[in-house]
Amino acid sequence: MRSLVALRFRIIRHRVPLLIAAALLWVLAFSYVAISSRHAHQDSQDAGLGASWRSRLSAAIRFRSAAADDRFRAGAGGSSHNDGADASGMGIAQPLDQTGPVDVMICSDQRTLGGMVTLINSILQNTNTPVRFHLVTDVDTVDHLKAWLGKYFSEPALDVRYILFDGSRVEGKINVRGARQELASALNYARYYLPELLPSGFNGRLVYIDDDAIVQGDIVELRNVHMAPTHVAAFSPDCNSTDNSYGNFLNFDSDVVKDLGIDPKECSFNAGVFVADLRKWKQNQVTEKLEHFLVMNTQVNIYGGGMGGGGSQPPMMIVFYRQYSPIPDEWHTRHMGWFISNYYKDKKVKRAKLLHWNGKWKPWGEIGKWIYTWEKYFLKDPWQDWKVKRRVVKVVKVVQKEVTT
């Protein structure tokens, strides 16, 4: 009898772990079924109710709103297909060649030619990296420019392409509202046509700099600025230094502007210095989009009447709205042509890697700020046609005669 009881006890003792394991497996199986059922229910809710947030997110990261793209294709004949572009409509990120020459484009005519030469000199003085200059000018200026550069730079030291911009390309397409009619210069809009001005096989990065600037850092740093994979270009947000907003540039009373879905309080950016990826510029038909809004402004008051004025910047602000990477502040210290007073401290100006005299007061004019910082790189015109203007202050010495009585 005792042996029978002992046998049963041993059988039960060996079966207990098996029973516990079976119970645990049953619990896990039940949990899996419950979770799967809950996920299936949640997926059905997402399909029916939650899909809208995904579509809104997708729309938010597009190059422009769907409505604006539809109007663009209808009005400008653009295509919705971009070869090599990703699903969001932006170009696929390409590997950056950080070892090759830095490609720099500058545009200038006879009025600002000394600024172009000064900028070139400042770039070369502060880098050991080869630089390829793409100099855009007009037929009346090109010989003067060649003579000026030839006076100071030999052929091997200066890798340059001279590009003549045909002003008829923008004839009848410009309407500058406001006092600054110099912004209607055809060369001010050459930056829209980068693929046409550069060699057809050029698909790398290009640094564009206005001719009223100088570079105090190594230009290769600007060329290699970080850019998001889906961004075509990098600009400097303007709220860092001033209270510039889209509302200062665009006419938000216009139905065209309202339909673009742009926030008037959004920080603007300065289009006088930027880095562009030419492959993605072409893929996204940026030139066609810029020209579309340029022409539209001659038909409808879209921009130019506000505090920010018109010129070439507003169409770029529309096309690149919330779709650009930031340039570090030290690589675009700007608005130096707007403020006569000590807006910047000496330390900031010395530390800045690029200084930009955008605005009315140019560094070669009669009055301005930080003019001697600019003059360090100025090279005199061998033709003596282009001269720096400085206001001469005459000091009148008053001699008091002592009258004795």
Side-chain angles (χ1 to χ4, degrees), residues 117 143-155 158 160 162 382:
V117 175
D143 289 338
H144 190 180
L145 175 59
K146 289 179 179 179
W148 200 333
L149 293 176
K151 168 72 174 178
Y152 297 99
F153 303 100
S154 60
E155 282 288 337
L158 186 66
V160 60
Y162 298 96

Side-chain angles (χ1 to χ4, degrees), residues 169 254 261 381:
R169 191 71 176 82
S254 167
D381 177 13

Side-chain angles (χ1 to χ4, degrees), residues 126-359:
N126 290 291
T127 187
N128 293 319
T129 304
V131 180
R132 279 192 299 241
F133 290 100
H134 307 268
L135 306 182
V136 184
T137 187
D138 55 36
V139 68
D140 297 327
T141 309
V142 65
D143 289 338
H144 190 180
L145 175 59
K146 289 179 179 179
W148 200 333
L149 293 176
K151 168 72 174 178
Y152 297 99
F153 303 100
S154 60
E155 282 288 337
L158 186 66
D159 186 355
V160 60
R161 292 177 62 248
Y162 298 96
I163 307 165
L164 296 181
F165 183 66
D166 185 2
S168 65
R169 191 71 176 82
V170 291
E171 187 175 355
K173 299 176 182 178
I174 300 171
N175 184 8
V176 174
R177 300 176 176 89
R180 297 192 65 196
Q181 289 301 307
E182 71 272 15
L183 297 177
S185 168
L187 279 166
N188 195 29
Y189 301 84
R191 72 195 77 189
Y192 289 4
Y193 303 96
L194 300 183
E196 300 175 19
L197 299 175
L198 295 165
S200 58
F202 184 89
N203 289 308
R205 282 193 179 186
L206 176 78
V207 178
Y208 180 95
I209 308 177
D210 275 352
D211 58 12
D212 53 356
I214 60 170
V215 172
Q216 299 186 132
D218 190 340
I219 192 69
V220 74
E221 294 180 23
L222 181 56
R223 190 272 305 272
N224 293 345
V225 68
H226 173 74
M227 287 173 57
T230 58
H231 287 168
V232 175
F235 296 92
S236 298
D238 252 353
C239 286
N240 292 346
S241 55
T242 62
D243 188 22
N244 271 336
S245 66
Y246 272 69
N248 292 336
F249 289 87
L250 305 184
N251 176 22
F252 281 87
D253 291 331
S254 167
D255 290 336
V256 173
V257 175
K258 289 177 181 177
D259 290 345
L260 292 173
I262 293 175
D263 181 359
K265 295 181 181 179
E266 181 78 12
C267 289
S268 66
F269 58 81
N270 188 285
V273 176
F274 62 89
V275 182
D277 183 317
L278 262 293
R279 184 185 302 276
K280 286 183 276 191
W281 186 290
K282 296 172 186 177
Q283 289 171 347
N284 290 282
Q285 300 177 328
V286 173
T287 294
E288 291 80 2
K289 293 175 181 180
L290 290 170
E291 194 172 59
H292 169 68
F293 289 104
L294 178 67
V295 173
M296 183 176 287
N297 191 53
T298 65
Q299 304 162 356
V300 183
N301 184 356
I302 300 177
Y303 61 83
M307 184 178 70
S312 59
Q313 177 149 320
M316 299 189 78
M317 292 171 58
I318 294 173
V319 172
F320 289 103
Y321 175 64
R322 290 183 177 176
Q323 290 294 337
Y324 66 90
S325 295
I327 290 177
D329 190 52
E330 67 269 19
W331 266 109
H332 194 183
T333 300
R334 51 212 177 275
H335 307 301
M336 298 185 70
W338 282 120
F339 303 100
I340 306 302
S341 60
N342 287 324
Y343 184 75
Y344 293 126
K345 302 297 183 182
D346 289 355
K347 187 181 294 186
K348 181 177 178 65
V349 173
K350 290 177 181 178
R351 189 173 61 244
K353 297 181 179 181
L354 187 149
L355 300 173
H356 186 194
W357 281 263
N358 61 306

